[in-house]
Amino acid sequence: MELDQRLVDAAIAQLDARWPDADQAVAAAVYLDNGEILTSVSLDNLNAAATLCAETGALCQAYTMDRRVTASVCVSRQGRNGPIDVLAPCGICQERLALWGPDVQVAVADGSGWSFRTLAEINPFYWGTRFAAEDGAWPGVAEHR
């Protein structure tokens, strides 16, 4: 499935359900290859080293289900009634998403709100291509295992 407003809305609904009164909140949603949407939130912890990105839960669930992730979005809100911002995936989440290849779509903020790019577009010099079976290609699931 291609990244669309429905996926963004699912992330916002998860954010509102889990963090209705938070001063700062983050949530994510991913599309699976069968059109199913998985959502998750960041794992907050007193020890900052133990926290996880909002996408992590949904990505782990997709992997557990042996489903391919086709698109991902992360949203954030500052202040209880603040505007919703779309966040591009951090470097660690780009690595997590790389498991499903360079064509995974991710939401990014732009001047008009948000749009999507593929992982290959936001990371054109991906280091993992060095370890792919085919020279210059992104490593597939087999290389990640």
Side-chain angles (χ1 to χ4, degrees):
M1 297 269 322
E2 287 196 359
L3 204 155
D4 59 11
Q5 188 63 46
R6 184 172 158 242
L7 191 64
V8 175
D9 290 344
I12 294 169
Q14 177 63 67
L15 183 139
D16 288 341
R18 178 63 178 92
W19 308 112
D21 296 321
D23 288 328
Q24 181 179 1
V26 182
V30 301
Y31 268 133
L32 303 181
D33 55 356
N34 64 356
E36 185 177 353
I37 294 175
L38 302 176
T39 62
S40 55
V41 297
S42 58
L43 178 63
D44 291 328
N45 192 288
L46 183 59
N47 179 345
T51 63
L52 295 171
C53 296
E55 298 95 330
T56 307
L59 297 179
C60 288
Q61 187 176 359
Y63 190 77
T64 299
M65 296 167 63
D66 197 23
R67 300 304 315 201
R68 187 165 101 55
V69 171
T70 61
S72 177
V73 62
C74 184
V75 296
S76 173
R77 181 179 55 230
Q78 299 288 329
R80 292 174 189 213
N81 296 312
I84 299 292
D85 294 311
V86 169
L87 304 174
C90 72
I92 296 297
C93 286
Q94 288 180 45
E95 285 298 323
R96 292 173 179 140
L97 288 163
L99 177 65
W100 293 285
D103 296 327
V104 173
Q105 297 174 348
V106 296
V108 297
D110 65 19
S112 62
W114 68 271
S115 59
F116 71 81
R117 302 285 187 275
T118 64
L119 283 179
E121 289 174 311
I122 65 169
N123 195 347
F125 303 103
Y126 181 53
W127 69 274
T129 59
R130 167 65 178 83
F131 301 98
E134 183 181 325
D135 189 37
W138 278 49
V141 172
E143 286 94 2
H144 281 279
R145 292 188 177 160

